[in-house]
Amino acid sequence: MEKRELLYSGKAKSVYTTDDPDYMVLEFRNDTSAFDGKKVEQLDRKGRINNLFNAFIMQKLSDAGIPTHFEKLLSDNEALVKKLDMIPLECVVRNLAAGSLVRRLGVEEGKELNPPTFELFLKNDALGDPMVNESHAATFGWASEAQIARMKELTFKVNEILKQMFLDGDMLLVDYKLEFGVFNGEVTLGDEFSPDGCRLWDKNTREKMDKDRFRQGLGGVVEGYEEAARRLGMDI
Ligand code: ADP
Ligand code: UDP
């Protein structure tokens, strides 16, 4: 597989074409951003840990029957993935209240959410990724009703798999964001699963091990990600 030209450079990853139109290379950079790109920093080893973390999780999800774009690791900072026709929605599941849910509804941070919530956000930086609902998605043509139903089903299935996996490493999976696309007509998990796009707390101390360390200026950001990886049994 030959890496060809840069297709797109996002806030944290760059996407390259390959000699096969069905595949592309994702390059995980050290750029770390928050607050719609208003806070940006380069964090040493962040691209590497997110690439390795994502590969580990995607492999586990594939093994459990989730269709994912992940093919293989190419290097410390690159992975080969299937090129999806991306659905411009972020699917968020929450097991414990945090972040925008706390700000929006005034519930206490850490409150257990039973059953877990499912939310959709439109991927649109200019609008600040507004929360939308299934009716909006169908009306504006972002996804069909069947695709939304499948994304929701897969997002909850991912929760069952990952909640337990993190718990086995004494971590709480507080919430996370998934992005899907379509490959050969099938709704397929794309983008990444890493501590950049989820919240992970130590089960006992509730210490944050995710991007909230960056958002809140707590320091030890990459160290937190690496600790989470080690607790999952990754050899990093
Ligand atoms: P953003 O675009 O939000 O700044 P990134 O820096 O992570 O985010 O850029 C990666 C881009 O690649 C995202 O827009 C994401 O939707 C897209 N993407 C991720 N996986 C795939 C895939 N398998 N096929 C096509 N596009 C993808
Ligand atoms: N998230 C993300 N990308 C986004 C928005 C949210 O990865 O553009 C993740 C975020 O890291 C968290 C979950 O989705 O794990 C829920 O985020 P929330 O709605 O609480 O927003 P935030 O507090 O990050 O503004």
Side-chain angles (χ1 to χ4, degrees):
M1 193 66 59
E2 204 180 295
K3 185 171 163 183
R4 294 252 167 103
E5 79 251 23
L6 178 68
L7 200 60
Y8 172 77
S9 201
K11 294 187 290 295
K13 300 192 287 303
S14 298
V15 177
Y16 294 84
T17 57
T18 68
D19 51 352
D20 184 332
D22 278 343
Y23 292 89
M24 48 184 228
V25 173
L26 281 188
E27 183 200 347
F28 290 72
R29 308 194 314 270
N30 286 340
D31 300 84
T32 313
S33 76
F35 313 122
D36 296 322
K38 287 184 204 76
K39 176 174 178 173
V40 183
E41 272 174 41
Q42 287 269 320
L43 298 180
D44 243 19
R45 308 193 308 280
K46 207 268 304 190
R48 173 181 180 273
I49 189 64
N50 275 6
N51 184 36
L52 302 183
F53 201 106
N54 176 62
F56 180 88
I57 297 282
M58 287 280 173
Q59 196 56 60
K60 294 279 185 201
L61 295 177
S62 296
D63 292 347
I66 304 279
T68 86
H69 69 158
F70 183 76
E71 287 290 315
K72 63 174 178 179
L73 274 175
L74 295 174
S75 70
D76 262 7
N77 291 75
E78 297 165 307
L80 183 69
V81 298
K82 296 186 191 83
K83 186 177 198 298
L84 309 183
D85 190 5
M86 294 304 287
I87 293 169
L89 296 169
E90 302 185 335
C91 298
V92 171
V93 158
R94 300 176 192 270
N95 295 306
L96 299 171
S100 72
L101 183 84
V102 166
R103 296 195 295 274
R104 203 166 53 240
L105 301 182
V107 293
E108 196 188 336
E109 186 181 65
K111 180 184 165 57
E112 194 178 330
L113 303 171
N114 191 13
T117 60
F118 176 80
E119 296 163 359
L120 290 172
F121 294 87
L122 178 65
K123 232 180 116 66
N124 183 320
D125 282 338
L127 297 178
D129 291 352
M131 191 174 178
V132 295
N133 65 29
E134 299 176 25
S135 158
H136 295 138
T139 296
F140 295 109
W142 300 318
S144 70
E145 281 176 19
Q147 286 172 336
I148 303 263
R150 182 66 173 149
M151 291 197 293
K152 193 170 175 177
E153 181 192 358
L154 289 172
T155 305
F156 276 122
K157 203 168 161 198
V158 165
N159 198 36
E160 289 318 304
I161 301 161
L162 295 188
K163 223 170 36 175
Q164 189 58 49
M165 195 181 299
F166 284 109
L167 205 52
D168 290 342
D170 279 339
M171 291 173 281
L172 299 172
L173 178 58
V174 173
D175 57 31
Y176 58 91
K177 179 267 299 179
L178 300 182
E179 291 181 29
F180 294 88
V182 178
F183 187 77
N184 285 341
E186 187 182 17
V187 173
T188 302
L189 178 60
D191 205 51
E192 70 180 279
F193 189 105
S194 76
D196 264 5
C198 70
R199 289 192 169 91
L200 297 171
W201 293 351
D202 178 273
K203 187 175 90 129
N204 301 310
T205 64
R206 300 215 160 190
E207 193 186 348
K208 299 177 198 316
M209 305 170 73
D210 55 66
K211 197 155 93 175
D212 270 350
R213 298 200 69 83
F214 175 71
R215 293 188 188 98
Q216 298 173 7
L218 300 175
V221 180
V222 172
E223 289 76 6
Y225 292 19
E226 289 173 339
E227 169 64 13
R230 274 191 290 271
R231 289 198 196 183
L232 289 178
M234 289 173 56
D235 187 16
I236 54 142

